[in-house]
Amino acid sequence: MQSVTEEQLFQTFRPLCSALATKPTLPILKKLGQKIQIHNGKELCRIEEYIIFPMQLYLKTPTLPENYTLAVFEFVTKFYQKTPLSSKFVFKDVISSLLVMSMGQEKLSEDFKSAFSKLVVSLVKNSNEEVRNYIYDEEMKLPLGHLVFQSLEWAEQDEARQVVLESFSILECLLVNQDDTLYYNKFVDRFCPMLPGITTRLVKAMKRSFPSQSHKIKSKCLQLWSNSVTSLMQDDNIDTLGKNIVENPNLSRSETLNDPKWIGKAQDHLYQHVQMFVDLTVHPQSMIRESLFDLCKALNKLSWNALQNTR
């Protein structure tokens, strides 16, 4: 039996994609979205770049009202919930366009920030191993840094609780543990220099007050602080006993984590944060106390020597 070619697979989508590439409208985008939802995910993966192309084209020059831009965000989000992201080019191009859009406007709406965060999370979570590995490449160093700190800035400054929580989801989906051996070392290289800034932003966000349910934000800040710190500043990564890295192959190859001066400054910096957390031991909200307890357990288990000054 002769296999179906990519050209044949794309035939049913071609008229709608061509229309969106030349003169995008919301009704046509919705029709394309409906077709996508009833189509086979494996087949969509083969024609991923064909279908996403009109979205990439629009995101580079988003000239229509915001409701169309948000509809494009939603389309791409749902598309990659249906099929894996397998194109490094698509990932970099979409992320670059998103960052340009976020920096090119004086005031962004709450809807924009929420849809932005959901889209980024969808791209990261649904990327295949090759793309996930690429996310932490040297080539993505600057976009990745901008993405992390843009989302944390929203979490620190936005008044809408939902925007804050969704902004946190970007950092959350980018964190990696040692089980992900394919790209863990590259993650360490990218995120170690950002750790002081990340933890500082999280502490600032944790200090904020909201009219209702601010304890959920404080709890999420504690969780992300713990996950960020223990994924990097853990005993398996740091030569706390003075051994040469050649003698201990389990140590991270990250230059940052093998710099005693950087380690010392990071330990002092994180110690100051832990001192601030002490007051939370008697917080009236049990969710916050539980998150603090989980943080302490994680530090004891993963960073007993690396962060011995916080004991």
Side-chain angles (χ1 to χ4, degrees), residues 233 238 256-272 306-307 309:
M233 295 283 292
I238 298 172
T256 303
L257 285 182
N258 289 289
D259 179 354
K261 290 183 179 180
W262 188 91
I263 293 296
K265 290 180 179 179
Q267 289 170 332
D268 292 342
H269 174 80
L270 297 173
Y271 173 69
Q272 292 174 5
L307 294 176
N309 62 325

Side-chain angles (χ1 to χ4, degrees), residues 1-11 43 46:
M1 183 177 177
Q2 190 174 10
S3 60
V4 179
T5 65
E6 292 176 359
E7 182 69 22
Q8 291 171 322
L9 286 175
F10 185 58
Q11 281 303 320
E43 292 181 346
R46 293 177 57 192

Side-chain angles (χ1 to χ4, degrees), residues 81-104:
Q81 291 170 348
K82 184 85 174 176
T83 188
L85 170 55
S86 58
S87 169
K88 293 187 288 187
F89 169 71
V90 167
F91 179 83
K92 183 179 181 181
D93 191 62
V94 172
I95 291 295
S96 298
S97 294
L98 291 176
L99 289 171
V100 170
M101 292 171 67
S102 68
M103 294 183 291

Side-chain angles (χ1 to χ4, degrees), residues 40-83:
N40 182 285
K42 290 183 179 179
E43 292 181 346
L44 290 174
C45 187
R46 293 177 57 192
I47 54 175
E48 166 192 5
E49 293 190 348
Y50 295 93
I51 293 175
I52 293 298
F53 174 72
M55 315 306 152
Q56 293 175 263
L57 203 61
Y58 175 77
L59 291 176
K60 286 185 182 300
T61 53
T63 54
L64 296 179
E66 187 179 81
N67 67 326
Y68 184 81
T69 301
L70 298 183
V72 172
F73 283 8
E74 183 180 13
F75 176 90
V76 180
T77 298
K78 289 184 175 179
F79 181 82
Y80 285 116
Q81 291 170 348
K82 184 85 174 176
T83 188

